[in-house]
Amino acid sequence: MALWFECKVRYDKMMENGSVKKVNEPYLVDALSFTEAEARIIDEMTPFISGEFSISAVKKTKISEIFFDDSADKYYMVKVNFVTLDEKSGVEKKSSSFILTQASDFDGALSRFREGMKGTMSDYEIASITETMLMDVYPLDLSAEKSPE
């Protein structure tokens, strides 16, 4: 299971009108610790940012899964309640999870979520879908890892 950290990167960004503005943008990285998350976001951002930048925050998220769509440019957080039946008391229990979906718009996020949940044996209900401010997501790529020599 992946552990996702939200890292905020502060840097000077060239705007479309030519002015320079200091921005603080959130990114998501897959890492095992806060230290690794900070190191990974620095590695990922260095080629794209000219000049100085800093990592202003690193926090652990409650994201349990991500449904990617390479043709989309936005990320939506889906809060889903899984419904289970307590065998002893016969009462329905709801446990919530957060699933990130990549989509172009709200309808795309809903359909991408439903496509990702196909074949699920659990009963669930969607509690909310909200657009996030995430700029990009960096999953761990094990094929790019260097092997010790």
Side-chain angles (χ1 to χ4, degrees), residues 9-13 22-23 46 49-55:
V9 180
R10 178 179 290 280
Y11 66 99
D12 293 329
K13 183 177 188 175
K22 191 169 274 301
V23 294
T46 300
I49 298 176
S50 60
E52 293 184 21
F53 67 94
S54 64
I55 310 305

Side-chain angles (χ1 to χ4, degrees), residues 36-93:
E36 182 186 354
E38 186 173 359
R40 288 215 44 232
I41 196 64
I42 289 170
D43 287 345
E44 295 288 353
M45 296 306 296
T46 300
F48 302 109
I49 298 176
S50 60
E52 293 184 21
F53 67 94
S54 64
I55 310 305
S56 60
V58 178
K59 69 177 184 178
K60 200 182 292 190
T61 67
K62 295 182 178 183
I63 296 171
S64 60
E65 195 167 350
I66 299 179
F67 298 141
F68 289 101
D69 180 359
D70 294 333
S71 65
D73 60 346
K74 296 178 185 173
Y75 293 92
Y76 291 83
M77 186 68 69
V78 179
K79 181 179 179 184
V80 59
N81 292 326
F82 290 100
V83 181
T84 56
L85 188 63
D86 187 344
E87 293 178 15
K88 291 181 182 176
S89 64
V91 176
E92 282 188 352
K93 285 178 35 178

